[in-house]
């Protein structure tokens, strides 16, 4: 199975400080929406690193099917 696991059918609302973050793409991380290296067991996924430039509230995709990763784009409403 090459599809990521749906960790949650909706975004995670998180307040992020500036810095490099690592978003889970496989859906198996226990520290959603962030990577905990669980993708190594699924083999085909890698985390997505992204930079937060200013402290703010962000909505990170939980369904792992967004077309604008790591941010929610509403795709979860269609699954
Ligand atoms: S949670 Fe994935 S697109 Fe909204």
């Amino acid at each position: 199975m090459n599809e990521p696991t749906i960790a949650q059918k909706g975004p995670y609302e998180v307040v992020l400080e500036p810095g490099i973050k690592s978003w889970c793409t496989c859906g198996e991380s226990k520290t959603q929406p962030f990577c905990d290296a669980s993708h190594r067991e699924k083999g085909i996924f890698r985390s997505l690193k992204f930079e937060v430039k200013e402290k703010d509230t962000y909505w990170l995709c939980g369904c792992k099917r967004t077309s604008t990763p790591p941010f929610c784009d509403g795709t979860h409403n269609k699954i």
Side-chain angles (χ1 to χ4, degrees), residues 28-47:
E28 296 289 340
S29 173
K30 303 292 184 280
T31 58
Q32 293 294 334
F34 305 105
C35 176
D36 72 353
S38 292
H39 61 272
R40 290 183 187 151
E41 293 183 19
K42 288 195 100 177
I44 57 171
F45 294 94
R46 299 184 69 177
S47 64

Side-chain angles (χ1 to χ4, degrees), residues 12-14 16 52-60 71:
Y12 292 91
E13 180 179 347
V14 289
L16 298 178
V52 173
K53 298 209 177 190
E54 58 187 68
K55 180 179 180 179
D56 207 339
T57 300
Y58 298 87
W59 286 267
L60 302 184
F71 306 106

Side-chain angles (χ1 to χ4, degrees), residues 8-11 60-66 71-76:
Q8 173 174 293
K9 279 193 179 177
L60 302 184
C61 172
C63 74
K64 312 302 176 184
R65 282 150 179 82
T66 179
F71 306 106
C72 173
D73 70 352
T75 298
H76 62 269

